[in-house]
Amino acid sequence: MGRGDLTNAEWDRLESFLPPGGARGGRWSDHRRVINGVLYRVRTGVQWRDLPERFGPWETVYKRHRRWSADGTWTMLLSRIQSAEDAAGRIDWEVSVDSTAVRAHQHAAGARKTPAVISSKGARWGDEPGRSGAAEAGGPARGSGQIGECLGRSRGGFTTKIHLAADGRCRPLALVLTPGHYGDGPQLERVLEQVSVPRLGVGRPRTRPDHVLADKAYTSRRNRRYLRRRGIRHTIPERLDQQRHRKNRGSRGGRPTGFDSERYKKRNTVERAINRLKGFRAVATRYEKRAYIYLGTATLAALIIWLRT
C-alpha cells in the first residue's frame, strides 16, 4: 500500500456502496486500485499520463474519475459517509460558510462549447444537460464558455471560486463552484441548499444547520431574510456602511442585528476546512477544463477528509 492510498478500514467503509464488478466480462476493473490512482493524482496534481504503473492504465483511472464525477458517484459516497457520521452523532451542526479562490492552470482553458454527454456506459450522444457543475453537484457541464465552466478573471488572475459550508469539525458539508470574480454573498443560499445529509433510517435528509457563521461578505438583507425564513440562527457581522445607513434612517432603519463576538470566533473552522482541501494539489490548482470534473476532484478530496477525520 502506497502513501496516501486507502487503508483497509477506509476501503471497508466504501466498498459496499460501489457498483459491483471485477467478474469475468464485468463492467468494472478493480475499484480499489482505480480509486487509489485517482487519489494519487488528486493528492499530487500530476498529469494523468504520469500515473505510476501500479494503478493500471492511466486512461482507465481518468475515465472512471470523469464518469463518476458526471453521474454523481463521488457525491453519493460523500453523502453516505456523512449519513453514518450523523447517525453516530459526530457532526457538529454549527456550520460556517466561506469561499476560496483557486488559480486555474492555463491548460484549464479551451474547453469545447458543445461537449457530448458521457453515459453511464461510456457512450456519447447529444449535448450535455444542465448549465454547469456550479449549479448541480456531480452534473455534467454544458459548454457555454469560461463562465459556464466556472472560470473567470479576478484579482488573483484566471480563477475558479469554491464556496463551501463546513461543520464544526472542519469538514466540508457542501461545495459549489463559480467563476473567480463572483461575489460571496449571493451564493449563500446555493451553498446551504446543497447541505443534505440523509438519515440511515426513516426520515427526510437533514438540511438545516443549528447555527450559521459567516463574515461580512454575507451580511445582506436578502441573506438574513432567507436564514430567518428557514428558522436558522446566525452570527454575521454588519458592515460599517450598513450601520450608518440604518442609523441615518432613524426608527425606519429597524433594530440593530444581533452579534455574538465570542461565537463568531468559531468561524475559523471553515478556514481550516479550506486549508485541508487545498492540501490536495489538484484542488489547490485547477487543471481540469470541465467544471463538473473539477467539482468531482474537490468532492473526492472532501470525502477523504471525512474518512480520515
Side-chain angles (χ1 to χ4, degrees):
M1 186 176 68
R3 186 171 72 91
D5 289 354
L6 291 173
T7 64
N8 291 334
E10 292 164 357
W11 172 246
D12 289 341
R13 297 183 68 184
L14 295 178
E15 185 178 13
S16 61
F17 305 133
L18 296 172
R24 184 175 180 179
R27 174 180 162 193
W28 304 106
S29 59
D30 184 10
H31 283 311
R32 186 170 184 176
R33 183 179 68 174
V34 173
I35 292 176
N36 283 334
V38 178
L39 280 178
Y40 181 89
R41 190 264 173 180
V42 172
R43 181 171 59 85
T44 63
V46 300
Q47 293 188 10
W48 289 103
R49 293 175 182 268
D50 295 331
L51 283 176
E53 294 181 358
R54 65 187 176 92
F55 299 119
W58 70 267
E59 297 97 334
T60 300
V61 180
Y62 166 68
K63 289 179 181 178
R64 188 80 55 85
H65 176 55
R66 181 184 65 181
R67 187 175 298 123
W68 284 2
S69 297
D71 65 17
T73 299
W74 295 129
T75 304
M76 177 272 293
L77 292 175
L78 176 60
S79 180
R80 295 293 182 89
I81 297 302
Q82 289 174 343
S83 297
E85 291 292 296
D86 188 43
R90 290 194 292 263
I91 294 183
D92 183 347
W93 283 97
E94 190 161 51
V95 173
S96 300
V97 179
D98 206 352
S99 72
T100 182
V102 175
R103 188 66 181 263
H105 194 272
Q106 59 184 356
H107 294 166
R112 292 168 54 190
K113 292 188 177 181
T114 55
V117 170
I118 301 172
S119 75
S120 59
K121 294 185 178 181
R124 294 172 175 266
W125 73 91
D127 292 336
E128 297 183 355
R131 180 170 186 270
S132 72
E136 297 181 5
R142 176 189 300 171
S144 53
Q146 290 185 357
I147 299 299
E149 299 298 343
C150 299
L151 292 166
R153 299 282 177 178
S154 64
R155 291 182 180 180
F158 190 43
T159 52
T160 291
K161 187 173 283 188
I162 302 176
H163 305 263
L164 72 156
D167 78 335
R169 299 182 64 188
C170 310
R171 299 174 298 186
L173 281 168
L175 301 168
V176 168
L177 299 186
T178 66
H181 60 281
Y182 277 30
D184 293 354
Q187 309 305 321
L188 177 68
E189 293 186 29
R190 288 180 59 192
V191 172
L192 292 182
E193 292 296 330
Q194 292 291 332
V195 176
S196 180
V197 178
R199 313 281 186 177
L200 288 184
V202 178
R204 296 179 179 178
R206 175 158 186 177
T207 60
R208 189 172 64 179
D210 292 334
H211 202 96
V212 168
L213 306 171
D215 61 20
K216 292 181 180 179
Y218 300 89
T219 187
S220 67
R221 291 185 177 180
R222 177 177 177 177
N223 285 341
R224 294 183 187 275
R225 284 197 299 266
Y226 167 76
L227 293 169
R228 285 196 297 267
R229 185 171 68 250
R230 291 192 58 189
I232 301 175
R233 294 175 297 172
H234 54 278
T235 300
I236 304 175
E238 192 177 26
R239 294 200 306 264
L240 293 178
D241 60 331
Q242 291 179 329
Q243 294 178 15
R244 285 197 303 269
H245 181 65
R246 174 173 48 77
K247 292 177 181 178
N248 290 338
R249 296 187 65 190
S251 60
R252 293 179 301 167
R255 294 177 298 176
T257 59
F259 179 71
D260 186 343
S261 58
E262 286 299 316
R263 193 165 205 164
Y264 185 69
K265 294 178 181 179
K266 297 180 181 179
R267 198 190 65 84
N268 69 81
T269 55
V270 69
E271 304 287 354
R272 290 151 61 191
I274 290 171
N275 190 42
R276 288 180 176 180
L277 274 177
K278 287 193 168 181
F280 296 85
R281 291 173 179 249
V283 176
T285 301
R286 174 177 170 176
Y287 300 100
E288 289 84 358
K289 296 180 184 296
R290 296 294 178 199
Y292 76 91
I293 300 180
Y294 179 66
L295 183 60
T297 298
T299 302
L300 176 57
L303 172 62
I304 297 304
I305 291 173
W306 277 85
L307 286 173
R308 297 177 178 175
T309 302

